[in-house]
Amino acid sequence: MVEAVESVEDKNGSHYLLRCLIGLLCVASISAPSTIALAETAVSTSSPAEIDPHVELLTVDPGVPLYARFGHTALVVHRKGKAPKVYNFGFTRFGDSRLILKVLTGKAIFWLLTRDLPRMLKIYEREDRRVVSQILNISAKDHQRLADLLASFEPADKREYIYHHFYENCSTRLRDLMDKITGGAIADQLKGKITSTKHLRQVVRDHVAVNVWVLFFADLLFGRTIDHPIDQWVELFLPAWLQKNLMTVTVDGKNLVSAKMETLRLRQGPPLKTINPYAAVHLLWGLVAGLLLTGALMTFGLRKNKRFSGLLLLFPTTVFGLLAILLWTVAIYASVPLFRQNELVAVLWPTDILLVGIAIRWMRGRFFAGRLFRGYAYLRAGILVIVLGLHAVGVLIQRPIAWPITMLVFALGLVAACRVLPQKAPVASAPNGKKRRKR
């Protein structure tokens, strides 16, 4: 099983597009730059000789591609006379064609992979990523217990676990193991302690800010479960926050993770490039402005150049309809709350795609808004007003609020069309003098 796995952490894959999509879905191993000043030493792999074995925390900075932007973490066991062994809980079979579906349904299997430290460092050398290690400030007895606990996961029947975006990944596995060794000290000191005003969605945006479309689909597909503050215990799903927060946890009067940081590899290239994490939100506000302009043009066109109004209606109905089909498919198929509990299902309706038929009819010169179209337009607008009202009172919390506002502007454009167009098809004279309705 291990031989079929690529030498990458839980965000890599066999093809770039697959890596990007899985990287977007598997947000659990996102990393954030540490804000604590650490004392770096010269590049070295030496170990404190007085403790054998001893365990160190390995932290890998983000890389250039999307799938590497999330960082990584592992534990390293040093034993005298042996090469340091890396225990990495972030591997899976990325060649599996059903992996994305397994992620959506909460059935993705990840597992522990062990590698000698020099071999693991070569992987990150190819990706030009900074790698640091810090020794754990625990007793020699606890170092031995942790090393034994890690070794207990090496048998094939103990390696695997069900991956979860925020609660079961390469970082949380290490958190839970260290919490067990320290008698629950990590949970006792970090659970319920909220120090950041950022919601999970903001954290996700910060670390997938590679291009505007990645941000756009992250905001579209990730539901309400990431629109709330998190405590420092949950923050440990982020590798760099695991590093940062464990330096504040004390065990027997010492910080659990040493502030002395040993740099095993430095990044050689320039700093990673990112875009504004709110670029997709700005895109939506631009879309609101575009829809207002389109609505004005469409209303004017229905009086002057009606065929042009059909063309103006065609684009938004097609785009919103296709996005709604994608959103509803993911929400219905997924069993993971991150994707299933999505408030945008009340905002984006797959039935909008049927309005393409209305647009084509207008483009062909048949200008009327029947009772079905009128009822649909008023229903869409009414539901969206209710959605915004529920946001105002805090019942609905999913961000960005630009989505329901965008769709309300769209729905109001449909209502405006209803007020301009006749309810029935106009009557035309037939060659025999009889009147007939245009089809």
Side-chain angles (χ1 to χ4, degrees), residues 159-207:
R159 292 178 175 229
E160 297 181 347
Y161 66 95
I162 302 295
Y163 175 89
H164 189 282
H165 317 281
F166 300 115
Y167 306 117
E168 201 66 51
N169 63 48
C170 67
S171 188
T172 62
R173 299 287 285 187
L174 304 190
R175 175 199 67 188
D176 295 343
L177 290 175
M178 290 184 281
D179 189 54
K180 182 177 181 179
I181 291 299
T182 58
I186 301 175
D188 290 343
Q189 297 178 43
L190 299 185
K191 278 188 176 180
K193 186 177 180 181
I194 299 176
T195 57
S196 174
T197 58
K198 281 191 174 184
H199 292 186
L200 278 173
R201 187 176 300 276
Q202 293 170 284
V203 175
V204 171
R205 286 173 180 161
D206 287 343
H207 300 91

Side-chain angles (χ1 to χ4, degrees), residues 218-278:
D219 274 340
L220 176 71
L221 298 178
F222 296 164
R224 60 174 286 149
T225 60
I226 61 172
D227 288 295
H228 57 81
I230 55 175
D231 62 19
Q232 289 193 343
W233 170 262
V234 177
E235 285 180 351
L236 301 188
F237 82 96
L238 303 168
W241 282 6
L242 178 76
Q243 176 196 52
K244 181 189 73 172
N245 289 351
L246 291 187
M247 291 170 59
T248 67
V249 173
T250 57
V251 178
D252 296 330
K254 297 181 180 179
N255 292 335
L256 176 57
V257 173
S258 172
K260 185 178 181 181
M261 181 172 61
E262 189 175 29
T263 302
L264 304 181
R265 191 192 179 282
L266 285 171
R267 176 173 169 78
Q268 303 301 312
L272 297 181
K273 295 181 179 180
T274 60
I275 65 172
N276 187 328
Y278 292 92

Side-chain angles (χ1 to χ4, degrees), residues 346-357:
V347 173
L348 287 161
W349 294 9
T351 47
D352 285 346
I353 198 70
L354 300 178
L355 297 178
V356 170

Side-chain angles (χ1 to χ4, degrees), residues 22-88:
I22 293 175
L24 180 59
L25 296 177
C26 305
V27 296
S29 292
I30 298 168
S31 69
S34 176
T35 58
I36 294 181
L38 303 176
E40 296 196 25
T41 66
V43 175
S44 171
T45 56
S46 61
S47 304
E50 66 275 11
I51 303 178
D52 182 46
H54 78 272
V55 184
E56 295 182 0
L57 177 67
L58 195 74
T59 305
V60 183
D61 279 4
V64 174
L66 175 63
Y67 61 82
R69 292 269 174 160
F70 308 127
H72 195 50
T73 188
L75 288 175
V76 186
V77 176
H78 293 257
R79 296 181 186 273
K80 288 183 179 179
K82 295 183 179 180
K85 180 181 286 189
V86 179
Y87 287 82
N88 184 338

Side-chain angles (χ1 to χ4, degrees), residues 307-324:
R307 295 179 188 271
F308 180 63
S309 297
L311 185 61
L312 291 176
L313 179 64
L314 181 64
F315 177 73
T317 55
T318 302
V319 172
F320 293 145
L322 292 176
L323 289 176

